[in-house]
Amino acid sequence: MHWPINIEALKNKDVAAWTALIRQRPPLTTARVSSVVEEKVWPWAHLTRYEISLVGQSDPITLMGIETSETVVHFYQTVAQELRGMVPYCWWAQLDDEDEGWVVVADAADDYRPMVWGQSDVEGVLRRLAEMHSRFWGRYRWLEKQSWMRAYPGVANAPNLLMSWSERRDEEEEVRHGRGDLLSAHAVRSAGDLAWELRWAAKGVAVMRDAGGWPSVIDEEVLGALLDLLDDPVPMLQPLRGLPVTFVHGNPFPHHWHVAMDGGEQLLGWQRPLLAPPIIDLVAFCEGFPLVRNHRGQWQLRPFGAPEVSEQTMIDGYLVHMSRLLGTRFNAREMRQALPAARCLHFLIHWCPQIGAWLAPTDDWPSQFNLPQPIRRQDFQTVGVWQTYMAEAADRFLFAYRAL
């Protein structure tokens, strides 16, 4: 008998389609689904939890259906197979006729949320991150085949993996269109594929400049530093271009990690995987650590009384894990020296478009670059929470800029 599996059949809770899906994984090759119950995961509209009941079994199987991008589908079809245990098991990943993605993964246990993480929890997460980075270390031929994956800030140590900017000179004016014109021609040519990211950073900086900054957050000195890097990003990019590259998550903020009671750590949110120096992930994790999400999906600062873990402890722990896994192939000193450059890049391409979208939400902020969703006032318990965090992030950026 033919058992059809397709996105629409699964979304419609077709028992035959779910039976065919379940039977793909031993030891469930003879299992039969008796019912499928769905539950929307508020407030995330793209997530649906499915409770799958099997004939003759009392305990249902809980799976997550995720409406997502083509990139995420490719990730689960390829890279995820090498990260078993670190990512939820993928039961199904498919693109529809309009290249919209839908994946079905195991429901990852989330027993310890980041707001209560202690030293051992952070240690486990960073160990997992180092394991992922080391697993793809030096595997340029394999990574080269993953044409769906972006690469930046230029891959001097893997020259065949990134199209040279000389092949795209005719697109320079398009990159600099609109508020992106804060980017100098030199910056566009120097940044390679990263120029597309810097364009939206430039647009965000232009919004901040036109608004006169952000009181108590973005002052004239911070704006000056941002404009300087948009005019000449080479001092920021050059230290990163000298680093070995690997497969990175791109945005491993703590809220993307699920820590189980048994000590297992799994990483979700694979919208922005990259071929890049691993320090990109390390800085993103450290920068995101002060922010946590509550059960309603609202952002807040780590609560008073939560276990304290210093950034220096996190950096040292990660570098120790990488040194243990890679030995002499890993240069911890070189990685540490590039931290200021990575922090400046993170603030530019991650937060500047976000701030711009928050201050000018009616402007066109495209989603095809996989930037996080624009910050809205209703996403936060108070505007003060965000101002407090961004003021500290801007201070860290300025300190890093001075160290370039």
Side-chain angles (χ1 to χ4, degrees), residues 177-230:
H177 175 69
R179 276 177 163 150
D181 62 6
L182 284 180
L183 279 176
S184 67
H186 163 68
V188 173
R189 287 190 294 269
S190 301
D193 272 14
L194 190 60
W196 293 95
E197 308 278 10
L198 290 182
R199 171 194 174 180
W200 300 105
K203 183 175 179 178
V205 173
V207 170
M208 289 184 270
R209 179 198 61 187
D210 295 347
W214 185 356
S216 303
V217 179
I218 305 295
D219 59 19
E220 185 175 341
E221 188 175 8
V222 174
L223 273 175
L226 292 170
L227 290 168
D228 186 38
L229 291 177
L230 291 173

Side-chain angles (χ1 to χ4, degrees), residues 44 110-119 121-122 125 253-259 285 288-309 381:
W44 294 277
D110 192 16
D111 299 318
Y112 297 109
R113 293 181 177 270
M115 65 179 63
V116 298
W117 282 359
Q119 177 67 45
D121 301 307
V122 174
V125 165
F253 271 34
H255 71 272
H256 282 145
W257 288 91
H258 284 207
V259 177
F285 180 85
F289 191 74
L291 282 173
V292 295
R293 265 179 164 170
N294 62 23
H295 66 284
R296 295 181 178 179
Q298 296 172 316
W299 292 98
Q300 62 184 59
L301 296 174
R302 280 179 66 83
F304 179 78
E308 293 187 12
V309 183
Q381 292 177 319

Side-chain angles (χ1 to χ4, degrees), residues 68-333:
T68 188
S69 65
E70 181 179 358
T71 296
V72 176
V73 170
H74 285 309
F75 164 77
Y76 277 106
Q77 289 175 338
T78 54
V79 180
Q81 299 176 21
E82 302 226 9
L83 297 175
R84 293 181 179 177
M86 183 177 170
V87 300
Y89 179 83
C90 181
W91 291 76
W92 188 253
Q94 181 183 342
L95 294 172
D96 62 20
D97 295 336
E98 298 179 355
D99 287 337
E100 296 293 328
W102 201 65
V103 300
V104 179
V105 299
D107 190 6
D110 192 16
D111 299 318
Y112 297 109
R113 293 181 177 270
M115 65 179 63
V116 298
W117 282 359
Q119 177 67 45
S120 61
D121 301 307
V122 174
E123 176 82 8
V125 165
L126 292 174
R127 181 182 65 251
R128 282 289 199 179
L129 193 63
E131 288 172 355
M132 180 186 75
H133 292 158
S134 64
R135 186 164 302 178
F136 298 96
W137 200 260
R139 293 176 56 185
Y140 300 135
R141 290 185 179 180
W142 185 88
L143 290 167
E144 184 179 11
K145 298 177 182 178
Q146 316 308 316
S147 58
W148 51 271
M149 188 167 56
R150 297 177 303 138
Y152 77 85
V155 282
N157 292 327
N160 295 327
L161 297 184
L162 185 60
M163 176 170 49
S164 68
W165 186 251
S166 62
E167 297 174 280
R168 314 184 354 172
R169 289 186 189 277
D170 58 329
E171 299 178 356
E172 178 177 316
E173 289 304 315
E174 183 179 351
V175 173
R176 298 179 65 208
H177 175 69
R179 276 177 163 150
D181 62 6
L182 284 180
L183 279 176
S184 67
H186 163 68
V188 173
R189 287 190 294 269
S190 301
D193 272 14
L194 190 60
W196 293 95
E197 308 278 10
L198 290 182
R199 171 194 174 180
W200 300 105
K203 183 175 179 178
V205 173
V207 170
M208 289 184 270
R209 179 198 61 187
D210 295 347
W214 185 356
S216 303
V217 179
I218 305 295
D219 59 19
E220 185 175 341
E221 188 175 8
V222 174
L223 273 175
L226 292 170
L227 290 168
D228 186 38
L229 291 177
L230 291 173
D231 181 64
D232 182 14
V234 171
M236 172 181 66
L237 298 179
Q238 197 58 40
L240 300 173
R241 285 190 171 129
L243 298 176
V245 298
T246 185
F247 175 80
V248 304
H249 181 276
N251 186 30
F253 271 34
H255 71 272
H256 282 145
W257 288 91
H258 284 207
V259 177
M261 191 175 298
D262 61 4
E265 302 89 11
Q266 293 190 321
L267 183 55
L268 288 75
W270 292 96
Q271 289 82 9
R272 305 181 63 193
L274 302 164
L275 174 66
I279 198 172
I280 297 294
D281 273 355
L282 176 60
V283 166
F285 180 85
C286 292
E287 284 293 311
F289 191 74
L291 282 173
V292 295
R293 265 179 164 170
N294 62 23
H295 66 284
R296 295 181 178 179
Q298 296 172 316
W299 292 98
Q300 62 184 59
L301 296 174
R302 280 179 66 83
F304 179 78
E308 293 187 12
V309 183
S310 71
E311 180 177 289
Q312 193 58 55
T313 298
M314 291 187 279
I315 292 171
D316 291 345
Y318 170 83
L319 295 178
V320 167
H321 286 306
M322 288 292 285
S323 297
R324 177 179 58 83
L325 291 165
L326 293 171
T328 57
R329 292 188 295 159
F330 179 75
N331 189 329
R333 180 181 179 184

